[in-house]
C-alpha cells in the first residue's frame, strides 16, 4: 500500500472518533457559569490580546505565580473568576504518558527507532494519535503515569526531545531521532504539526514543548562530580548554528511549535533558563510566539548548582528576564513575588510571562464556548484503537535495520529470513522481553500496571513458526556477571535448526540521569554471544538498545545476521518476528553512527565540539565505523539511476545558479526493485560544501519508497534557497558560493553523484 494512502486512511478513522463522540465532559472549565461568562476575557468576539490583558488585569499578584508553575494542579485555579486549575507538563515522547482511562494509551516505538524509519509520515500520524488521545484522556480526568499520583493531565506535551545524539554514551539517546540535525528537524516538524494541528483549525489540538534547549546531551559522568544539573556546555558559534539549533529552528519557524523547555545545563557559563538566547534567538530571530518552561527544578539549578546567583529570588528574576515563563518546581511559587518586592524584576515582567502562559490556554480553546468545539467532545473510544495499533505495528516494523546478513556456511542462501516450521531457539536476556522492550517515558501499558499485555519476541516468534517448535532460554541477564545459565542456553541452541540471539541494553544501563561508561555489551553478554554463535547454527542477532552498541567481533568475524531493533515498543515482539520469518522485509537505515568500542577513549564526554578529532557523527568523524549513519540492508535488491541521464548534467561547473533560483533545481532518481520480494528503500541526498572545510557531508533530503518486485518509481529532490545554508565560524548562517558535490545514495552500495555551482 502507498504510505501516504495508508496514513490518510488512518487519519480518517481518527477523525471519526471525534464525530461519534457522546461522552459527558467531567473537566471543570472557564467561562461556564452565568456570572463568570460576563467577563470580557470570556467574550470570543474580542481579540485574543484584549481577552488576555483583561484576565491579567483582574488577577491579584499572589494569584499569578501558581498559574506559572507546572505540575502544581490543583493550584493555579482562581475560583472567584471561575478559572479552573491547569496541569502543565504531560510527557508524550512516544505516547501519552498517562494512566489508563477506559483504555490505556497507545505506546509507540521509541524515537531512536522512529528516526531509523526515515519516514516522517509515520511520525506525523503518531503525533496525531497522541494529540487526540491526550484530549480524550484529559476529558476523562486521567492523570500522569507517575508514582506520586499526579493529578489529571494538561494538554501540553513535554515532547519531542530533539537534542542531538552527540555521544553514544548519553543515556537518553533512546529519546531522540538521531545524530543529524536535518533528520531531527524533519522529525520535529512532523511531530509538531501532527500534534498541534487537528480537525478544528481555530484551536490547538495539543501543544508541543521542544526539549531540551539547548546543547543538552549529558546526564552524569561516573566517577566525577559532573552531571546535568551543573554541567557547563561550552559551544562555539559554528556548532551552535550547524548542530545544536537547526532542529529547534525547523520546528519553530516551519512547524510553528508553541512550546520550548530550557534545560538544566549552562550554556557558555549562563544557565539556559536564564540565557538571553531564549528571547534573542527564539523570540527575536525566529519569531517564536509560544511559552517556555523550565525542566523540573531547573530554575533552582540557577542558584543551587550553577551558583550563577546567590538567592532564590535572584534565580527567579534571572529566569524571568531570560524568558522562562513557567517554572516546573516550587521556585516561582515561593520566591517570584519576593523578586518583585526586592526590585529584582517588575510585576510587568511577571505579567509578560503570564501573558504567554495564558495565551496557550486560550489557543487550546479553554476559555471559549464548547458546543461547537470538537476537541471538547472526543470520545474515550479514540484511545488505543485497532487503527492506531495497525499504525503502531507498521511504524515499528519500519524502525528495524538489517545491519548484516551473512550467507549460510557452504551456501549462497542468506541467514535471514528463517523458514517457518523448523526448530527455533530464542536465546538471550531480551528473548522474552516485555518491559525492557518498551523503553522509557511510558504511559500505563496494561490495565493491571504490568507488562503482561505486551507480546514478547519469543511469543511472537512461537506464534509465527507454524508447524515448528520454538523454545526460549535466557542464558544470562542484561548486566549479570554469572555464567550459570550458559549451559542450558547452549543445549537449547545446539538442538535447534535456527537461533535468535536477543541481546542489548536496558534502562538500568542507560537512561535519564545515567550515562554509560562504555559502549560494549554489559555483563557477560559478549562472552555468552561467542558461545552461542560458535555453535555454527544459522543465527540472527537482534539488538535492543538506545545508544549504539559496539559489537566489534560480531561485525568483523561472525557469520550471522544482525537486526537492530532499538527499543521497539508495544509492537516490538510482533515486528521482530515478522522480520525474522520474512513476513516483513526490514528497510530502516541507521539514524546514528555505530562506532568501534575504542571510540569513547578518543572523545571527551564533556566536549561539545563536533569537529574536534576524531570528530562526532558522520558529518565530522574521519574514522571507520562499524556501521555508518544511513546504513541498512534489505531482503531484496534495488538499483538507483538518474531518471534522465541528461538531467543531472543540466547544472555543471560552468553553469552558475544564483541562490534565489535554487528552488528551480530538481533532481530525479529512479528506484527499481530488481529482487524477488517486496521491500522498502530509502534514498538519501547529501551535499559537500565548497566553503565549509570541517564538514564531510550533510544530509538535505530523504524519501522512503515501497516497491513490489519489478516495480520502479521516481524520487524527486527539489532544492530551495536554504538547502545549502550553513553557519560560519561566527555563527552567521548563509549559503556559500562555489561548486557543491551532491550524492544520492541508499547508504550501502549505490551512489549517484553530480555537481552544482552556486553563485
Amino acid at each position: 500500500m502507498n504510505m501516504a494512502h495508508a496514513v490518510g486512511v488512518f487519519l480518517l478513522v481518527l477523525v471519526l472518533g471525534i464525530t461519534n463522540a457522546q461522552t459527558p465532559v467531567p473537566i471543570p472549565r472557564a467561562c461556564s457559569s452565568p456570572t463568570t461568562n460576563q467577563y470580557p476575557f470570556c467574550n470570543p468576539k474580542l481579540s485574543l490580546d484584549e481577552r488576555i490583558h483583561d484576565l491579567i488585569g483582574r488577577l491579584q499578584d499572589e494569584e499569578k505565580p501558581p498559574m506559572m508553575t507546572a505540575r502544581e494542579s490543583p493550584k493555579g485555579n482562581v475560583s472567584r473568576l471561575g478559572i479552573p486549575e491547569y496541569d502543565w507538563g504531560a510527557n508524550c515522547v512516544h505516547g501519552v504518558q498517562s494512566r489508563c482511562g477506559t483504555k490505556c494509551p497507545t505506546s509507540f516505538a521509541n524515537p531512536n527507532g522512529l528516526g531509523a524509519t526515515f519516514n516522517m509520515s509515520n511520525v506525523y500520524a503518531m503525533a496525531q494519535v497522541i494529540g487526540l488521545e491526550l484530549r480524550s484522556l484529559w476529558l476523562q480526568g486521567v492523570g500522569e503515569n507517575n508514582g506520586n499520583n499526579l493529578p489529571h493531565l494538561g494538554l501540553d506535551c513535554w515532547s519531542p526531545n530533539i537534542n542531538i545524539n552527540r555521544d553514544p554514551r548519553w543515556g537518553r539517546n533512546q529519546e531522540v531521532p538521531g545524530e543529524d540535525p536535518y533528520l531531527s528537524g524533519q522529525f520535529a516538524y512532523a511531530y509538531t504539526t501532527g500534534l498541534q494541528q487537528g480537525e478544528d483549525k481555530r484551536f490547538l489540538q495539543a501543544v508541543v514543548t521542544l526539549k531540551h534547549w539547548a546543547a543538552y546531551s549529558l546526564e552524569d559522568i561516573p566517577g566525577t562530580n559532573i552531571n546535568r544539573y551543573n554541567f557547563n556546555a561550552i559551544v562555539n558559534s559554528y556548532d551552535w548554528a550547524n548542530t545544536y539549533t537547526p532542529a529547534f529552528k525547523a520546528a519553530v519557524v516551519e512547524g510553528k511549535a508553541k512550546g520550548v523547555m530550557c534545560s538544566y545545563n549552562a550554556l557558555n557559563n549562563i544557565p539556559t533558563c536564564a540565557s538571553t538566547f531564549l528571547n534573542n534567538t527564539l523570540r527575536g530571530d525566529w519569531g517564536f510566539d509560544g511559552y517556555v518552561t523550565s525542566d523540573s527544578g531547573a530554575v533552582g539549578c540557577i542558584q543551587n548548582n550553577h551558583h550563577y546567583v546567590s538567592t532564590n529570588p535572584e534565580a527567579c528574576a534571572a529566569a524571568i528576564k531570560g524568558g522562562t515563563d513557567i517554572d516546573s518546581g516550587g521556585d516561582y511559587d515561593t520566591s517570584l513575588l519576593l523578586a518583585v518586592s526586592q526590585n529584582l524584576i517588575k510585576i510587568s515582567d511577571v505579567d509578560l510571562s503570564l501573558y504567554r502562559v495564558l495565551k496557550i490556554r486560550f489557543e487550546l480553546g479553554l476559555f471559549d464556548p464548547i458546543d461547537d468545539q470538537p476537541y471538547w467532545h472526543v470520545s474515550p473510544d479514540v484511545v488505543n484503537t485497532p487503527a492506531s495499533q495497525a499504525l503502531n505495528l507498521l511504524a515499528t516494523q519500519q524502525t528495524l535495520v538489517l545491519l548484516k546478513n551473512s550467507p549460510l556456511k557452504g551456501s549462497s542462501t542468506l541467514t535471514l529470513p528463517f523458514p517457518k516450521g523448523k526448530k527455533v531457539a530464542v536465546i538471550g536476556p531480551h528473548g522474552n522481553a516485555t518491559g525492557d522492550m518498551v523503553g522509557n517515558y511510558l504511559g500505563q501499558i496494561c490495565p493491571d500496571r504490568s507488562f503482561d499485555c505486551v507480546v514478547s519476541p519469543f511469543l511472537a516468534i512461537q506464534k509465527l513458526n507454524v508447524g515448528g517448535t520454538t523454545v526460549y532460554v535466557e542464558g544470562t541477564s542484561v548486566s549479570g556477571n554469572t555464567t550459570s545459565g550458559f549451559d542450558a542456553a547452549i543445549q537449547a541452541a545446539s538442538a535447534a535448526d535456527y537461533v535468535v540471539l536477543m541481546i542489548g541494553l536496558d534502562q538500568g544501563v542507560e537512561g535519564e540521569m545515567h550515562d554509560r561508561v562504555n559502549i560494549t555489551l554489559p555483563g557477560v553478554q559478549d562472552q555468552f554471544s561467542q558461545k552461542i554463535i560458535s555453535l555454527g547454527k544459522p543465527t540472527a542477532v537482534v539488538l535492543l538498545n538506545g545508544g549504539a552498541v559496539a559489537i566489534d567481533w560480531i561485525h568483523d568475524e561472525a557469520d550471522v545476521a544482525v537486526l537492530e531493533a532499538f527499543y521497539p515498543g508495544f509492537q516490538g515482539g510482533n515486528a521482530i518476528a515478522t522480520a525474522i520469518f520474512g513476513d516483513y522485509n526490514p528497510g530502516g537505515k541507521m539514524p546514528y553512527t555505530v562506532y568501534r568500542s575504542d571510540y569513547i577513549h578518543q572523545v571527551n564526554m564533556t566536549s561539545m565540539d563536533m569537529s574536534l578529532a576524531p570528530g562526532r557523527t558522520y558529518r565530522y568523524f574521519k574514522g571507520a565505523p562499524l556501521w555508518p549513519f544511513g546504513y541498512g540492508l534489505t531482503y531484496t535488491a534495488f538499483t538507483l539511476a538518474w531518471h534522465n541521464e541528461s538531467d543531472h548534467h543540466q547544472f555543471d561547473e560552468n553553469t552558475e545558479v544564483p541562490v534565489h533560483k535554487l528552488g528551480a533545481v530538481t533532481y530525479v532518481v529512479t528506484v527499481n526493485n530488481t529482487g524477488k520480494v517486496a521491500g522498502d528503500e530509502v534514498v538519501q541526498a547529501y551535499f559537500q560544501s565548497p566553503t565549509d572545510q570541517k564538514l564531510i557531508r550533510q544530509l538535505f533530503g530523504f524519501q522512503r519508497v515501497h516497491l513490489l518486485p519489478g516495480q520502479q518509481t521516481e524520487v524527486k529532490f527539489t532544492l530551495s534557497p536554504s538547502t545549502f545554508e550553513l553557519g560560519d565560524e561566527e555563527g552567521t548562517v548563509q549559503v556559500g558560493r562555489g561548486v557543491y558535490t551532491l550524492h544520492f545514495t541508499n547508504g550501502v552500495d549505490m551512489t549517484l553523484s553530480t555537481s552544482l555551482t552556486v553563485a
Side-chain angles (χ1 to χ4, degrees):
M1 179 182 289
N2 177 276
M3 291 179 187
H5 176 69
V7 171
V9 170
F10 164 74
L11 294 178
L12 175 60
V13 173
L14 208 60
V15 170
L16 291 177
I18 299 179
T19 56
N20 291 337
Q22 51 187 1
T23 53
V25 181
I27 292 294
R29 60 185 183 87
C31 306
S32 59
S33 73
T35 302
T36 60
N37 198 37
Q38 302 304 310
Y39 291 124
F41 66 79
C42 292
N43 185 356
K45 295 181 180 180
L46 297 179
S47 70
L48 190 59
D49 184 68
E50 290 174 309
R51 297 174 71 187
I52 298 171
H53 279 301
D54 177 75
L55 175 52
I56 292 175
R58 296 175 187 278
L59 294 173
Q60 298 169 5
D61 287 351
E62 61 271 18
E63 293 170 332
K64 296 174 182 179
M67 300 182 83
M68 301 165 64
T69 299
R71 294 182 164 175
E72 287 296 322
S73 177
K75 289 186 178 181
N77 65 305
V78 184
S79 300
R80 64 185 183 81
L81 298 178
I83 300 172
E85 45 76 22
Y86 178 80
D87 190 60
W88 295 88
N91 276 296
C92 314
V93 174
H94 54 110
V96 180
Q97 191 181 335
S98 76
R99 301 190 285 274
C100 300
T102 56
K103 290 186 288 185
C104 300
T106 307
S107 184
F108 290 85
N110 282 241
N112 60 340
L114 294 169
T117 68
F118 281 76
N119 182 6
M120 297 304 108
S121 62
N122 284 341
V123 177
Y124 176 86
M126 176 191 73
Q128 286 270 285
V129 170
I130 292 172
L132 200 58
E133 289 193 356
L134 180 63
R135 277 282 182 169
S136 176
L137 292 162
W138 177 72
L139 287 169
Q140 294 176 55
V142 173
E144 292 184 62
N145 186 34
N146 201 302
N148 60 7
N149 204 37
L150 289 171
H152 72 77
L153 297 160
L155 294 172
D156 56 296
C157 286
W158 283 359
S159 317
N161 186 341
I162 51 173
N163 294 122
I164 293 297
N165 183 331
R166 174 186 62 92
D167 191 293
R169 291 166 288 190
W170 184 35
R172 301 182 74 172
N173 280 323
Q174 61 195 289
E175 296 176 37
V176 302
E179 72 181 25
D180 179 78
Y182 176 80
L183 175 64
S184 297
Q186 294 300 298
F187 182 99
Y189 173 82
Y191 187 104
T192 296
T193 53
L195 189 89
Q196 292 189 166
Q197 300 171 10
E199 179 190 12
D200 191 342
K201 305 306 179 186
R202 299 171 300 169
F203 302 105
L204 297 169
Q205 177 175 249
V207 177
V208 301
T209 308
L210 311 173
K211 62 184 187 184
H212 308 80
W213 177 276
Y216 173 84
S217 52
L218 180 149
E219 300 301 306
D220 68 350
I221 301 180
T224 75
N225 292 321
I226 300 173
N227 57 53
R228 63 181 183 168
Y229 303 110
N230 61 27
F231 178 55
N232 181 24
I234 302 301
V235 179
N236 61 54
S237 298
Y238 172 86
D239 287 329
W240 174 256
N242 294 316
T243 296
Y244 296 113
T245 58
F248 287 89
K249 184 177 181 180
V252 169
V253 176
E254 300 171 30
K256 308 302 179 186
K258 288 290 185 177
V260 170
M261 174 187 287
C262 55
S263 51
Y264 293 114
N265 58 284
L267 174 64
N268 296 336
N269 304 311
I270 302 175
T272 64
C273 292
S275 172
T276 57
F277 280 118
L278 289 172
N279 284 326
N280 295 347
T281 301
L282 271 175
R283 294 188 170 108
D285 296 342
W286 298 351
F288 175 65
D289 68 346
Y291 85 104
V292 173
T293 181
S294 77
D295 205 338
S296 296
V299 171
C301 289
I302 296 173
Q303 173 203 359
N304 301 323
N305 300 86
H306 296 295
H307 309 296
Y308 184 69
V309 295
S310 301
T311 69
N312 198 241
E314 288 175 327
C316 292
I320 287 292
K321 289 177 181 178
T324 302
D325 307 311
I326 285 182
D327 166 35
S328 179
D331 298 288
Y332 280 6
D333 204 21
T334 60
S335 300
L336 187 57
L337 294 184
L338 287 176
V340 174
S341 66
Q342 294 173 17
N343 295 317
L344 300 172
I345 52 174
K346 299 177 181 178
I347 195 65
S348 59
D349 297 321
V350 174
D351 288 347
L352 177 58
S353 281
L354 181 59
Y355 179 96
R356 294 190 286 247
V357 169
L358 290 172
K359 183 169 178 279
I360 295 297
R361 293 174 65 174
F362 275 89
E363 290 177 331
L364 285 164
L366 304 187
F367 288 84
D368 282 50
I370 70 169
D371 290 344
D372 66 341
Q373 282 199 59
Y375 299 145
W376 276 91
H377 303 279
V378 181
S379 169
D381 295 338
V382 306
V383 178
N384 210 338
T385 65
S388 65
Q389 283 302 340
L391 169 69
N392 195 4
L393 176 59
L394 174 63
T396 305
Q397 288 171 322
Q398 290 191 3
T399 68
L400 301 175
V401 181
L402 184 62
L403 293 175
K404 184 172 184 174
N405 201 10
S406 300
L408 299 176
K409 189 173 182 179
S411 171
S412 61
T413 302
L414 299 176
T415 301
L416 283 177
F418 289 171
K420 296 177 181 178
K422 303 294 183 179
K423 296 179 181 178
V424 177
V426 180
I427 305 293
H430 284 313
N432 206 29
T434 53
D436 285 343
M437 196 162 54
V438 294
N440 73 349
Y441 274 91
L442 301 173
Q444 186 178 341
I445 301 296
C446 307
D448 62 358
R449 291 192 171 276
S450 72
F451 293 101
D452 291 345
C453 62
V454 179
V455 178
S456 72
F458 162 63
L459 292 177
I461 290 169
Q462 183 181 54
K463 182 177 180 180
L464 287 186
N465 189 24
V466 178
T469 59
T470 308
V471 298
Y472 163 67
V473 179
E474 181 183 42
T476 185
S477 62
V478 170
S479 299
N481 291 312
T482 177
T483 61
S484 60
F486 280 23
D487 288 345
I490 292 170
Q491 183 177 358
S494 298
D497 300 317
Y498 296 86
V499 175
V500 180
L501 177 60
M502 300 216 43
I503 54 179
L505 313 178
D506 63 12
Q507 300 305 306
V509 177
E510 59 178 351
E512 185 170 5
M513 297 185 68
H514 60 282
D515 297 322
R516 287 187 286 165
V517 178
N518 58 56
I519 58 174
T520 54
L521 288 166
V524 293
Q525 287 189 73
D526 191 70
Q527 180 184 351
F528 177 68
S529 299
Q530 291 188 45
K531 295 284 187 182
I532 298 298
I533 292 173
S534 67
L535 297 173
K537 298 288 183 175
T539 300
V541 177
V542 181
L543 292 169
L544 263 61
N545 54 283
V549 179
I551 48 174
D552 298 15
W553 75 269
I554 294 179
H555 171 276
D556 296 342
E557 304 170 21
D559 293 327
V560 297
V562 179
L563 185 68
E564 173 62 79
F566 307 99
Y567 289 124
F570 184 84
Q571 290 285 359
N574 294 321
I576 290 167
T578 58
I580 291 294
F581 291 115
D583 293 354
Y584 180 79
N585 181 0
K589 304 290 183 178
M590 286 306 298
Y592 52 69
T593 302
V594 183
Y595 305 98
R596 289 188 172 273
S597 57
D598 63 352
Y599 174 78
I600 61 168
H601 304 301
Q602 304 170 46
V603 291
N604 189 325
M605 183 71 174
T606 62
S607 172
M608 307 300 289
D609 191 323
M610 298 299 293
S611 61
L612 184 67
R616 294 183 182 274
T617 77
Y618 80 94
R619 299 162 65 230
Y620 302 103
F621 178 58
K622 295 181 173 63
L626 294 178
W627 289 285
F629 174 89
Y631 185 91
L633 304 171
T634 175
Y635 296 156
T636 190
F638 293 96
T639 61
L640 303 183
W642 295 114
H643 172 61
N644 187 320
E645 188 58 34
S646 63
D647 282 356
H648 68 288
H649 292 306
Q650 60 183 313
F651 307 104
D652 56 27
E653 294 185 16
N654 298 317
T655 304
E656 296 184 344
V657 179
V659 173
H660 70 276
K661 290 188 177 181
L662 284 175
V665 179
T666 297
Y667 295 94
V668 184
V669 175
T670 298
V671 188
N672 190 358
N673 184 349
T674 59
K676 297 180 180 180
V677 296
D680 293 0
E681 185 60 287
V682 178
V683 184
Q684 306 156 48
Y686 297 86
F687 71 80
Q688 291 176 277
S689 170
T691 57
D692 188 336
Q693 302 308 308
K694 294 180 179 180
L695 182 69
I696 297 172
R697 58 182 178 138
Q698 173 60 59
L699 183 73
F700 72 88
F702 55 84
Q703 290 189 47
R704 181 169 182 151
V705 295
H706 179 79
L707 296 174
L708 301 175
Q711 188 178 15
Q712 69 178 36
T713 191
E714 296 174 3
V715 176
K716 296 182 179 180
F717 294 92
T718 299
L719 307 183
S720 77
S722 63
T723 296
F724 301 136
E725 284 186 346
L726 291 171
D728 61 17
E729 291 299 317
E730 287 70 44
T732 302
V733 177
Q734 56 192 345
V735 177
R737 270 55 171 180
V739 180
Y740 286 79
T741 301
L742 309 183
H743 303 289
F744 301 88
T745 178
N746 70 341
V748 181
D749 55 3
M750 291 179 290
T751 299
L752 304 175
S753 299
T754 189
S755 61
L756 174 69
T757 301
V758 177

